[in-house]
Amino acid sequence: MQNIYDARQKGKLVFLLISVLLIGAFLYVSNDLVEDLSIEERKKMEIWAEATRELASDNTEMSMELILKVIQSNTSIPAIIVDNDGTINQYVNLNLPETNSEEYLQKKLDRLKANSNFIEINLGDNEKQYLYYDDSILLKRLSYYPYIQLGIMVLFLLIVYFALMSTKKAEQNKVWVGLSKETAHQLGTPISSLMAWMDLLEASGVDRSLLSDMNKDVKRLSVIAERFSKIGSKPEMELVYVNEILENATEYMRRRVSNKVQITTHLPADAEGAMVCLSLFEWVIENLCKNAVDAMNGEGRIDVYMTSEKQQIYIDIKDTGKGLARKNFKTVFNPGYTTKKRGWGLGLTLAKRIIEEYHAGRIYVKESEVGKGTTFRIELKRVV
């Protein structure tokens, strides 16, 4: 399988990998910073607990002024000190409500006890106090910060990705439109010349029966050129019977494939109408049939089904070719996808654009099995 966009696909994977690595590195550094700050707060509370013990001691050798400075330095870390029987002796940095303050304080103590943030204060004579503390507001904010940053980074990467995809699609559209119109322009001169030569041959007395098929092929070239010229422009839609389009398109293909390929249509008795651009829609049907012939290596069966219900018309084109793996059900419509040695892989891409953008319908792989065949489905809005 060949794909002229393989390099771009690899570029997307590299971009995604780098993005994941950057996000991972950022989270690691941020979490490491939060962990370091948590350790620092633990050390501060140990010093605060030691100052509290010294303050309660009768034989302290430390400066009372220094002890008070250490105790008063804690202005951000919520803490509660309880004695052996659980009675609250002291608390700091807690905003108590005006009512039910004691109940609030007890609930806060219960929550702190559920964490591992506590320090035992040995006062001597088997007397102990317990210091329970919570993370400071700053540390809590920093713990949330990496995830906020992660969300912002992911949002930024998504915006960049979709911007790149939109730019790429716009460039592809310009290339396809330019290529189509240039192809139509280049075909115009030889087609006009061929028409003139046909008129000259007819005037020279060449048997008209011999020129009949040549005239048909020249007219066919004119139709093809017209189709290419309409790519990129808003096509003129008309109400037509889809049954007739399918019959005409498959009949045209029957005359141009070998006898080893059997093309059969299964159409309802009642005519079903839809708004379509006749030349472009015929091209889609012919392209799907040609792809089916290639997938069968010029030997097999193609069945074209048409059904309808309420406001929808369904067209199924089923072949007995090599089939597709499920992972390629959407990939086949990507520009450059082809399993043939020749060709640019734009046929199904243009078919999808014609059906979905011009006809407001859908085209997709309905079912496929490797070695057994593929069924493409087209959905159109039913008018009558």
Side-chain angles (χ1 to χ4, degrees):
M1 181 179 66
Q2 302 172 349
N3 195 324
I4 62 176
Y5 287 91
D6 280 345
R8 292 191 179 185
Q9 294 292 83
K10 291 178 181 178
K12 292 180 190 177
L13 292 176
V14 171
F15 173 77
L16 181 61
L17 179 61
I18 292 174
S19 301
V20 171
L21 290 176
L22 287 174
I23 291 173
F26 176 79
L27 285 177
Y28 175 79
V29 172
S30 299
N31 287 329
D32 192 53
L33 175 61
V34 171
E35 187 67 25
D36 289 344
L37 289 174
S38 179
I39 293 172
E40 287 298 317
E41 287 196 353
R42 173 77 182 188
K43 292 178 180 179
K44 287 180 180 179
M45 293 311 297
E46 288 175 349
I47 295 173
W48 194 77
E50 181 64 20
T52 302
R53 188 189 68 79
E54 289 292 333
L55 183 64
S57 174
D58 296 332
N59 302 316
T60 181
E61 298 179 357
M62 293 180 63
S63 166
M64 187 60 65
E65 183 180 355
L66 178 60
I67 293 173
L68 291 174
K69 281 186 177 181
V70 171
I71 293 175
Q72 293 173 358
S73 66
N74 177 25
T75 60
S76 60
I77 304 175
I80 299 176
I81 296 178
V82 299
D83 56 22
N84 285 327
D85 58 6
T87 303
I88 298 175
N89 291 337
Q90 184 182 354
Y91 61 88
V92 292
N93 301 322
L94 291 173
N95 295 321
L96 299 183
E98 294 181 0
T99 59
N100 301 323
S101 57
E102 292 184 2
E103 182 181 353
Y104 171 84
L105 197 59
Q106 187 60 48
K107 288 182 179 180
K108 183 67 175 179
L109 176 60
D110 293 338
R111 286 196 295 269
L112 293 179
K113 285 182 177 180
N115 299 327
S116 59
N117 295 339
F118 78 95
I119 298 172
E120 185 180 290
I121 304 174
N122 191 350
L123 301 177
D125 298 329
N126 294 325
E127 187 177 353
K128 294 181 180 180
Q129 288 184 337
Y130 299 92
L131 168 64
Y132 295 93
Y133 67 95
D134 198 3
D135 294 333
S136 65
I137 295 177
L138 176 61
L139 183 57
K140 287 181 177 179
R141 287 177 178 175
L142 285 175
S143 64
Y144 299 142
Y145 181 73
Y147 300 99
I148 295 174
Q149 287 290 92
L150 174 61
I152 294 173
M153 289 181 66
V154 170
L155 180 61
F156 173 75
L157 290 173
L158 288 174
I159 292 173
V160 171
Y161 178 80
F162 284 115
L164 290 175
M165 291 300 99
S166 298
T167 303
K168 172 188 169 184
K169 186 175 181 180
E171 290 177 352
Q172 288 176 352
N173 287 341
K174 289 180 181 179
V175 171
W176 298 337
V177 171
L179 177 63
S180 300
K181 292 188 178 298
E182 181 62 20
T183 301
H185 176 71
Q186 294 295 333
L187 286 173
T189 301
I191 289 174
S192 298
S193 179
L194 284 172
M195 288 180 174
W197 279 108
M198 294 297 295
D199 291 339
L200 180 61
L201 289 174
E202 186 176 353
S204 300
V206 176
D207 189 351
R208 292 188 177 181
S209 61
L210 298 176
L211 298 177
S212 176
D213 288 337
M214 294 177 65
N215 269 318
K216 290 180 181 178
D217 287 333
V218 171
K219 290 179 180 178
R220 187 65 185 179
L221 284 174
S222 298
V223 172
I224 292 172
E226 180 188 2
R227 290 172 178 173
F228 278 113
S229 68
K230 290 181 178 180
I231 299 296
S233 304
K234 186 177 181 179
E236 294 182 3
M237 312 297 282
E238 57 182 307
L239 178 61
V240 298
Y241 291 116
V242 180
N243 317 50
E244 295 179 3
I245 298 177
L246 296 177
E247 192 63 60
N248 293 337
T250 52
E251 180 59 30
Y252 172 80
M253 291 301 301
R254 287 191 194 98
R255 296 196 302 266
R256 282 158 178 79
V257 297
S258 70
N259 295 329
K260 296 180 180 180
V261 176
Q262 182 179 356
I263 303 177
T264 306
T265 55
H266 308 269
L267 306 177
D270 297 331
E272 301 288 357
M275 296 297 295
V276 302
C277 174
L278 184 58
S279 60
L280 291 181
F281 189 76
E282 283 182 339
W283 181 88
V284 171
I285 302 300
E286 292 170 13
N287 183 264
L288 290 175
C289 291
K290 288 177 183 177
N291 284 346
V293 173
D294 292 335
M296 298 185 300
N297 294 321
E299 183 177 356
R301 179 183 176 90
I302 300 173
D303 289 282
V304 179
Y305 298 88
M306 176 181 161
T307 57
S308 63
E309 61 176 31
K310 296 182 179 179
Q311 301 299 317
Q312 291 292 112
I313 294 175
Y314 303 104
I315 301 167
D316 293 336
I317 298 178
K318 181 178 181 181
D319 64 59
T320 57
K322 61 186 71 173
L324 294 169
R326 179 166 291 275
K327 65 179 181 180
N328 292 328
F329 278 20
K330 293 184 179 180
T331 310
V332 292
F333 295 100
N334 290 344
Y337 182 95
T338 177
T339 57
K340 296 177 287 186
K341 293 182 179 180
R342 295 189 302 173
W344 290 6
L346 294 176
L348 286 175
T349 304
L350 290 173
K352 185 177 181 67
R353 176 171 180 164
I354 290 169
I355 294 298
E356 297 189 355
E357 293 187 21
Y358 294 161
H359 293 82
R362 289 183 63 203
I363 180 172
Y364 55 92
V365 178
K366 180 185 177 184
E367 58 185 8
S368 184
E369 186 175 348
V370 176
K372 291 190 176 181
T374 302
T375 301
F376 283 89
R377 166 163 283 192
I378 298 173
E379 296 182 5
L380 294 175
K381 184 177 180 180
R382 179 172 175 264
V383 178
V384 292

